Amino acid sequence: MAARAQAMDLLLQGKVGHVSGDGYNFESRMRALRPGIMNLPSMGENAARSTRRGLNDMETASYIMQQWIKSPPHRHALVSRDYLYVATGVARRGGSTYAVQIFVGPVTHTNVNLPQ
């Protein structure tokens, strides 16, 4: 859900990045999902867009994946063993496709009782 929301937000802004249209960075957005959490798990985010017209869905997905693979920090997120889960969200309008991946590692446990 968070990946799709960020993809839609980027589409509405017409830009690619890790800050929401309201000015919230990645960590702030993740903390909003778990209010009161003190220790976030290992997390990362990839964001990309394609404005190439005439591509089918598979070609668009391949184009976006190639952007991530060719970028060292994005590739690192894709191959990192620090993450256990990935959520992917896509938003599309006209010839623009925005994709966001959110990676999450194991939850850090503390001896502090946090609200669930």
Side-chain angles (χ1 to χ4, degrees), residues 85-97:
Y85 307 101
V86 62
T88 302
V90 177
R92 187 176 215 173
R93 179 173 58 192
S96 296
T97 302

Side-chain angles (χ1 to χ4, degrees), residues 2-97:
R4 186 189 315 166
Q6 180 64 3
M8 181 58 77
D9 189 68
L10 295 175
L11 182 139
L12 293 174
Q13 293 180 71
K15 67 176 194 171
V16 177
H18 302 285
V19 178
S20 72
D22 297 339
Y24 293 102
N25 66 19
F26 176 64
E27 183 176 332
S28 296
R29 290 184 284 115
M30 295 303 100
R31 286 192 183 283
L33 293 174
R34 296 283 308 270
I37 193 166
M38 295 175 70
N39 294 316
L40 287 173
S42 179
M43 295 178 148
E45 181 179 57
N46 284 347
R49 94 175 137 202
S50 171
T51 56
R52 299 179 76 187
R53 295 193 176 271
L55 301 181
N56 65 36
D57 291 346
M58 287 294 288
E59 291 167 330
T60 299
S62 178
Y63 177 75
I64 287 172
M65 280 302 297
Q66 287 304 310
Q67 289 181 62
W68 286 331
I69 289 168
K70 291 177 182 177
S71 164
H74 294 95
R75 185 178 190 289
H76 176 75
L78 288 168
V79 300
S80 176
R81 292 180 181 227
D82 293 337
Y83 304 124
L84 298 175
Y85 307 101
V86 62
T88 302
V90 177
R92 187 176 215 173
R93 179 173 58 192
S96 296
T97 302

